[in-house]
Structure formats: structure tokens, C-alpha cells
Amino acid sequence: MTDQAPAPYAGPERVLSGVQPTGDLHLGNYLGALVKFARLQHEIPTFIFVADMHAITVWQEPAKLKQQVREIAAAYLATGLDPKVATIFAQSAVPEHAELAWVFNCVARLGWLDRMTQFKDKAGKHKERESVGLYTYPVLQAADILVYKATKVPVGDDQKQHLELTRDIAQKFNNDFSAPGYFPLPEPLTQGPGARVMSLRDGTAKMSKSDPSDNSRINLTDDADAISQKVRKARTDPDPLPETMEGLEGRAEAKNLVTIYAALAGQSEAQVLAEFAGQGFGAFKPKLADLAVSVMGPIGGEMRRLLADPAEIDRILADGASRARELAAPTVAEVKKLVGYWAG
Ligand code: TYM
């Protein structure tokens, strides 16, 4: 008898993603993730949450956490997510994430987690001092995705390894519990420029919330003056822009600014170079600053307007959580049966 390939997942497509409420959102979060959420909601049922359970894997001030969650929710709304179309909620309001994560903690192998580069980067040399939660962080992420049987996950490049782990967990669960095709093997959506936005001060480092230099990033809440100043101060080199992307090899900062321009303008990098080849940064930066202000400027204002009415944000999050639970609860009930829990 020949081995038959296991049955593939045959359920509907769903989009899921989330952002941690751990600091100001920046251009990297916007181009790598948020901008895609707003686009996808009109194509596939979309679930977007605020990852407050992930946030506490490192210390968060309890008195501030709820407000940080509202700020991310405001950013979702200000960048075009429509709560009537997409399901928007806080992770901690759907306890099924934690219930499924426990089962997945028993499916995932230590060796898989030992390979996670984000943990290594965050923990540095003193991993024994980090929380156990930080180590099992990607297992909770797998539960976030699979509790909705999501098939597409719009994220930046830095999340690809966590998505590979999610697929490994899904596949092992399906095998171990003789449930072929039960969980889908979700795909990261990282296409297009903007999947890896680099620091404005160092083209070899990722733009990040935790970079001590505020000039390294454009925050979603920056006003027009701050945005233009940061673009003007961005590190570059004295050479003119080349005709092709190959000509930007070894010029990390220059390449990053071209990529940012392309992502903000909805163009390819080749189109940007076709327009600006031969020009220096003295000419390119003001154009980039104008573009960044026109796209990013209104977002900060809209966030401030939304945050003036926290009760409305809370209402949207509560409504989203109850819709999310309608989908998550049956998954956890089925998983309990498959695992053989007494309380199944
Ligand atoms: P977080 O909060 O670190 O980042 C949110 C999103 O922004 C993307 N991103 C970037 N994209 C391009 N360039 C950059 N410089 C840049 N920096 C950040 C991230 O890739 C991410 O998409 N683990 C996730 C949160 C999470 C999640 C999930 C995501 C928890 N559960 C389930 C998807 C599905 C994170 O740390 O995001």
C-alpha cells in the first residue's frame, strides 16, 4: 500500500493578525502590517486583535496596559479597519487563546522553541532571567492563529519564523490526534516593499519600538513637522540614486528610503528609481517627506480624535470579542474532545 498524503485543510480562508500594545506604533508596523489589514478586510473575513497577553511577557505597568490596548485599537481604526467589516478585539478578552496555547505547549518541542531567533534577540545573554512566557511566546501566537483556523497572516518579515512554527504545531497536532486537515497550515503574507522597514539612523537595523533613538523611526502619532524633520535627518550617502535596485547594493540607508517611498506610494522600487535615478538625496528627501506627511499625518490626528472617546473604543472591542468567541469556542471544544480531556 502506498502512503497517502494527509487530507489538506478544506475550510474557509480567514485572515488573522495582531500587534503588541508595547509602545508607539511606527512606520514599520504600518507598512509591514496595518496597511495590509485594511486592504484584506474587504477580501477575506478578517480578525485583528491587540496582543495584550503577549505584551506581559515583558514587564508592563498594570495601570497603563488598558490604555495601551486602546491606542492600538485606535491605530487600527485610524488606518482604515472598519469594525463592521473586520472583527477587532483584545486577546485577553478571548480566553480560548490561552486554553489552546496550553495544549500547544504540549505539542511543540523544546528544540523547536530553542531555534526561535526573536527570543534569542530579546533575551540576549541572560535568558535565565527572562519570563517563561517570553520563551513560549510563539506557542501562544500559534494558538492566536489556529483558534480561528486562520489561513493567511499579514505580518512583517520578522514574524516568518513564528509562522513556520505555527505550521509545525498544526501539522503535529493533526498527526498526533489523528485529525488530518483539522488545523490549516497558515501562510504569512509578507509580499511587497515594506515587509522589513529599517531604522532611519542605521540601515542594517530594523525600525523598532525599542530603539532608544526616536529619530530612528516615524511614529504613527508624529505630526507633520516631526515627520519631515526625521526624514531630513535620516542617514544617507552623497551618491545619486542609481537606475536599478542592484545599484543600491551596499547602500543600506539609501535602499531603505527608496523602499519606504515605494511602499508609501504603492509603487515598486523599480518605478521609484525610474523617476528619481540620477538625483541626490537633497532632491529625494523633500519628496519623501511630503509623501510621508500626506500618508502618515492624518493617521495621528484621527487616532487622537478616537482616543478622546475611550468608551466607544471599548464598545468596539467588546463587540469584537463576543464575535471572536463565537468562532474560537467551538475550536476549543473540539480540541478538548480530540485530546481526551475529562472536561471535553
Ligand atoms: P509586533 O507588535 O512586534 O509588530 C506588529 C507587526 O509589525 C511588523 N513589524 C514590521 N514590519 C516591517 N518593518 C519593521 N521594521 C517592522 N517592525 C514590526 C511585525 O512583523 C508585525 O506584523 N508577534 C507579533 C504579534 C502577534 C501576532 C500574533 C501576529 C501575536 N500573535 C498572531 C500575527 C498573528 C509581534 O510581535 O508584533
Side-chain angles (χ1 to χ4, degrees):
M1 214 171 74
T2 52
D3 275 352
Q4 289 203 328
Y9 174 76
E13 298 272 24
R14 283 191 197 108
V15 167
L16 175 126
S17 196
V19 172
Q20 294 191 80
T22 48
D24 276 348
L25 290 185
H26 53 68
L27 182 66
N29 302 125
Y30 175 67
L31 295 174
L34 271 70
V35 78
K36 299 181 202 154
F37 303 167
R39 211 179 305 135
L40 286 160
Q41 68 181 334
H42 300 295
E43 296 165 19
I44 303 173
T46 295
F47 295 76
I48 304 294
F49 69 99
V50 186
D52 53 349
M53 290 163 65
H54 277 110
I56 65 160
T57 57
V58 297
W59 175 251
Q60 302 297 322
E61 204 52 55
K64 293 192 186 149
L65 189 54
K66 223 175 234 182
Q67 188 56 19
Q68 290 167 207
V69 170
R70 291 189 188 113
E71 280 168 20
I72 304 295
Y76 289 160
L77 299 169
T79 54
L81 268 187
D82 178 349
K84 290 192 207 74
V85 180
T87 304
I88 306 170
F89 59 99
Q91 187 183 28
S92 60
V94 184
E96 285 79 7
H97 291 232
E99 281 193 87
L100 186 59
W102 179 255
V103 175
F104 285 173
N105 269 324
C106 303
V107 172
R109 304 290 94 181
L110 279 175
W112 301 357
L113 289 184
D114 281 341
R115 286 196 285 276
M116 295 294 115
T117 55
Q118 282 225 331
F119 176 78
K120 289 186 202 163
D121 291 347
K122 282 189 193 167
K125 288 195 191 104
H126 300 290
K127 73 176 178 139
E128 62 284 353
R129 289 192 207 154
E130 296 299 337
S131 71
V132 175
L134 189 68
Y135 187 70
T136 63
Y137 178 117
V139 176
L140 177 59
Q141 182 159 349
D144 298 334
I145 298 167
L146 294 172
V147 81
Y148 304 101
K149 300 184 182 166
T151 53
K152 307 249 187 263
V153 186
V155 280
D157 254 356
D158 60 355
Q159 297 298 312
K160 275 186 173 164
Q161 198 187 31
H162 289 169
L163 263 292
E164 276 166 32
L165 182 90
T166 301
R167 286 199 294 277
D168 289 343
I169 290 175
Q171 196 143 36
K172 184 161 170 18
F173 180 96
N174 293 352
N175 286 341
D176 287 358
F177 297 101
S178 307
Y182 181 71
F183 283 122
L185 308 185
E187 292 294 328
L189 298 181
T190 55
Q191 297 86 338
R196 191 167 175 79
V197 177
M198 309 309 280
S199 155
L200 298 180
R201 309 296 307 158
D202 173 1
T204 62
K206 202 176 65 169
M207 187 177 283
S208 152
K209 296 172 193 168
S210 54
D211 192 315
S213 163
D214 194 54
N215 280 330
S216 70
R217 61 184 164 262
I218 297 175
N219 300 308
L220 244 49
T221 48
D222 283 345
D223 62 18
D225 279 352
I227 298 172
S228 321
Q229 272 214 27
K230 287 177 180 178
V231 173
R232 244 181 292 129
K233 283 193 185 149
R235 207 168 135 187
T236 42
D237 57 44
D239 294 341
L241 284 165
E243 277 169 16
T244 62
M245 283 306 278
E246 289 80 66
L248 285 173
E249 278 317 310
R251 297 174 64 189
E253 285 84 11
K255 190 173 174 188
N256 187 38
L257 293 192
V258 169
T259 301
I260 291 174
Y261 190 103
L264 284 171
Q267 296 178 344
S268 67
E269 286 138 332
Q271 280 172 311
V272 177
L273 289 179
E275 189 180 338
F276 291 101
Q279 300 189 32
F281 283 95
F284 182 73
K285 276 183 172 179
K287 295 271 170 48
L288 176 58
D290 286 350
L291 176 63
V293 167
S294 73
V295 177
M296 307 284 288
I299 297 174
E302 181 60 5
M303 280 177 69
R304 281 185 284 280
R305 192 188 69 76
L306 290 159
L307 285 164
D309 187 359
E312 174 61 8
I313 295 182
D314 288 350
R315 198 197 55 70
I316 289 169
L317 290 174
D319 176 59
S322 70
R323 277 153 53 197
R325 288 198 79 178
E326 278 171 29
L327 200 62
T331 307
V332 167
E334 286 160 359
V335 165
K336 283 178 170 176
K337 283 210 170 67
L338 286 166
V339 168
Y341 271 177
W342 178 84

